[in-house]
Amino acid sequence: MSIPEKIAAFPPTFTWGVATSAYQIEGGATADGRGASIWDTFTHTEGKITDASTGDVACDHYHRYAEDVDLIAGLNVDAYRFSIAWPRVQPDGSGAWNEAGFDFYSRLLDKLAEKNVAAHVTLYHWDLPQALEDEGGWLNRETAEHFAVYAAEVARRFGNRVASIATHNEPWCTANLGYGTGQFAPGIARPAAAVSASHHLLLSHGLAMQSMRALNVSAKLGIVLNQWTATPATGSAADIKAAEVEWARSVAWFMDPIFKGSYPELALENNDCSLLSIHENDFNDIRQPIDFLGVNYYFRAYVSTETPPRTPPCLLGVTDMGWEIYPQGLTELLLKLHAEYTLPPVYITENGMAVADQLEGGQVHDQARIDYLKMHLAALHDAMDAGVDVRGYFYWSLMDNFEWNSGYLRRFGLVHVDYDTQQRTLKDSAHWYRNFIKQA
Ligand code: FCB
């Protein structure tokens, strides 16, 4: 089948969506009682963000959510994935709730319902209340308990108004970039800390699944993981082994506890586990049935043990992030997950590309993004043909936004944002996606 034939052949029940996250779009950083998060602290620390920007205003979505939902509905999508800012609804991460914060999300849900767009909510897209970081953040086991309380409160209020609730977005990033390399908030660079943080993140997921499950809500409950296959750069035994270690440390490290109730041996051997403290019941707590798995796919890992390491061939080029464009990796990843785990229904909760877009005469000709989308949808279709139960696809992102430590320099949106005027402009890719969904 050709690419157009494949992408014309998705099941009619398939969910088409777009995704964002709170800190990257909302702004309103101090509005209506919102508490500070670790990303507020981090972005206000010199030298952390490439363009020295912050998410104080971002896309000002906090004030423009109604017109943004109109924009979303105009794309013909079935669903919108967004995250709740924990410090907006519970400023200190424990104790008092902030009603004005919950009201914002309630208004957003009303507007989505009015437009017939299903809400897919993520509880944690990296914006930990600073007050909890002051107590050790994800290095403190108690953060997991606070998270379960927060999760239950969101589920109690919104659990029958949203299609799904994911506990975490990409805990690999929270742990490794936040506590291992320090590229992301809270900026701690200590590999052993990343391992400890990842355990508490998994524990928090399991505790939150339990606290939400007890409420019997209609929302599907699950988690979103960023994943990749690991390709050995050569056929050498060293490269092959290193690729296995990479898969174990990145993918299996999060999948095994959830699906099998243990950490992979190979990862335990290769991680610095000196700060890892596993309590007796932890794996029982973590290994909770999930209703769906969210997979975020951007690139593969290309693993070389040579010095300097071999770099990926990039036959289809690279994105503006410098990430190899490798659609086939999505098929490979899903097939490998399907072979190694008993998967619940899968959603591709993120996939997309940064392009150095130019706005000219009210238009953005981002053909590269359209090609990227087509190739990844074809690759997704291949995995579904081979038996993987995928129920939906969310493009990252609805609109250009604050791309973490790259600030506003990297544009992922289907919709262009002029940050001076907050003017939104549909790129060619938005028109393509809208027309494609209409025919799907
Ligand atoms: C993912 C994040 C998302 C966005 C994309 C480009 O890792 O979940 O917030 O930054 O990458």
Side-chain angles (χ1 to χ4, degrees):
M1 267 200 284
S2 68
I3 289 185
E5 283 166 348
K6 282 184 206 171
I7 63 176
F10 279 87
T13 51
F14 197 80
T15 296
W16 295 103
V18 285
T20 64
S21 88
Y23 189 73
Q24 295 180 273
I25 65 163
E26 283 182 2
T30 54
D32 303 329
R34 177 185 177 277
S37 82
I38 54 175
W39 273 94
D40 295 293
T41 310
F42 193 70
T43 55
H44 285 269
T45 307
E46 218 186 303
K48 300 295 185 191
I49 310 299
T50 312
D51 61 357
S53 63
T54 73
D56 289 1
V57 177
C59 305
D60 197 29
H61 171 76
Y62 187 72
H63 301 108
R64 294 166 196 263
Y65 74 92
E67 61 173 91
D68 286 340
V69 173
D70 288 336
L71 197 65
I72 293 166
L75 294 175
N76 292 329
V77 294
D78 309 298
Y80 174 48
R81 172 175 180 252
F82 63 96
S83 76
I84 291 183
W86 186 355
R88 200 181 280 295
V89 299
Q90 193 181 33
D92 291 334
S94 65
W97 305 110
N98 179 31
E99 291 306 322
F102 277 118
D103 286 350
F104 166 68
Y105 296 108
S106 185
R107 291 195 302 276
L108 174 62
L109 291 178
D110 280 343
K111 181 77 192 178
L112 287 166
E114 181 196 315
K115 291 284 172 182
N116 212 8
V117 177
H120 290 252
V121 169
T122 302
L123 295 173
Y124 188 83
H125 203 123
W126 307 351
D127 40 3
L128 186 73
Q130 180 61 42
L132 292 184
E133 184 58 37
D134 295 343
E135 303 294 321
W138 290 110
L139 298 178
N140 181 347
R141 206 181 149 85
E142 280 172 26
T143 299
E145 282 154 33
H146 294 308
F147 181 72
V149 173
Y150 155 61
E153 186 63 15
V154 172
R156 190 180 69 75
R157 292 174 184 245
F158 299 146
N160 293 319
R161 297 173 67 189
V162 303
S164 79
I165 303 179
T167 53
H168 283 279
N169 175 74
E170 305 190 347
W172 182 94
C173 291
T174 306
N176 290 286
L177 306 181
Y179 294 84
T181 65
Q183 288 160 280
F184 283 8
I188 294 169
R190 195 176 169 200
V195 176
S196 165
S198 69
H199 184 64
H200 295 145
L201 285 157
L202 281 159
L203 180 64
S204 77
H205 158 77
L207 296 179
M209 287 301 296
Q210 294 174 52
S211 68
M212 292 194 288
R213 200 63 94 185
L215 297 167
N216 254 316
V217 293
S218 61
K220 304 284 185 209
L221 309 176
I223 188 168
V224 171
L225 302 175
N226 54 319
Q227 301 185 319
W228 46 76
T229 49
T231 310
T234 70
S236 77
D239 283 358
I240 291 171
K241 175 77 190 213
E244 283 167 9
V245 170
E246 169 57 23
W247 171 266
R249 295 179 65 193
S250 304
V251 179
W253 184 263
F254 291 93
M255 291 290 281
D256 281 16
I258 294 171
F259 288 93
K260 301 178 178 170
S262 59
Y263 284 120
E265 277 304 318
L266 198 53
L268 287 168
E269 286 161 18
N270 286 277
N271 276 343
D272 179 344
C273 298
S274 55
L275 294 177
L276 177 63
S277 161
I278 304 174
H279 292 203
E280 204 185 318
N281 207 36
D282 283 1
F283 286 124
N284 290 333
D285 280 331
I286 296 168
R287 188 188 191 175
Q288 299 296 318
I290 55 175
D291 303 326
F292 71 92
L293 173 70
V295 172
N296 292 354
Y297 175 76
Y298 288 96
F299 46 72
R300 65 170 164 178
Y302 193 75
V303 184
S304 166
T305 54
E306 289 169 40
T307 317
R310 290 187 188 228
T311 51
C314 300
L315 300 176
L316 297 169
V318 294
T319 74
D320 201 33
M321 296 293 281
W323 297 344
E324 181 191 22
I325 299 172
Y326 190 66
Q328 188 190 330
L330 179 56
T331 319
E332 292 168 0
L333 170 65
L334 292 170
L335 291 183
K336 190 166 162 74
L337 293 173
H338 184 54
E340 296 194 3
Y341 303 93
T342 306
L343 296 177
V346 172
Y347 287 81
I348 304 305
T349 32
E350 285 182 29
N351 171 239
M353 120 182 249
V355 180
D357 295 311
Q358 298 300 324
L359 178 66
E360 279 156 347
Q363 296 188 320
V364 178
H365 300 306
D366 57 340
Q367 186 60 39
R369 186 173 281 108
I370 298 174
D371 294 342
Y372 178 99
L373 253 161
K374 287 181 180 170
M375 289 188 292
H376 283 80
L377 292 180
L380 176 57
H381 195 272
D382 284 342
M384 292 166 68
D385 264 351
V388 188
D389 180 9
V390 185
R391 303 282 177 92
Y393 174 92
F394 292 79
Y395 181 78
W396 181 272
S397 177
L398 162 67
M399 57 185 161
D400 297 338
N401 58 48
F402 177 78
E403 178 48 36
W404 308 114
N405 58 341
S406 307
Y408 296 98
L409 300 175
R410 300 285 174 262
R411 294 180 179 272
F412 275 90
L414 295 174
V415 176
H416 180 275
V417 177
D418 177 326
Y419 296 109
D420 294 330
T421 61
Q422 291 296 345
Q423 172 81 37
R424 278 82 161 128
T425 306
L426 267 59
K427 302 178 190 175
D428 287 356
S429 57
H431 294 289
W432 182 86
Y433 198 46
R434 187 190 58 199
N435 292 334
F436 162 70
I437 294 171
K438 203 192 256 166
Q439 292 153 14

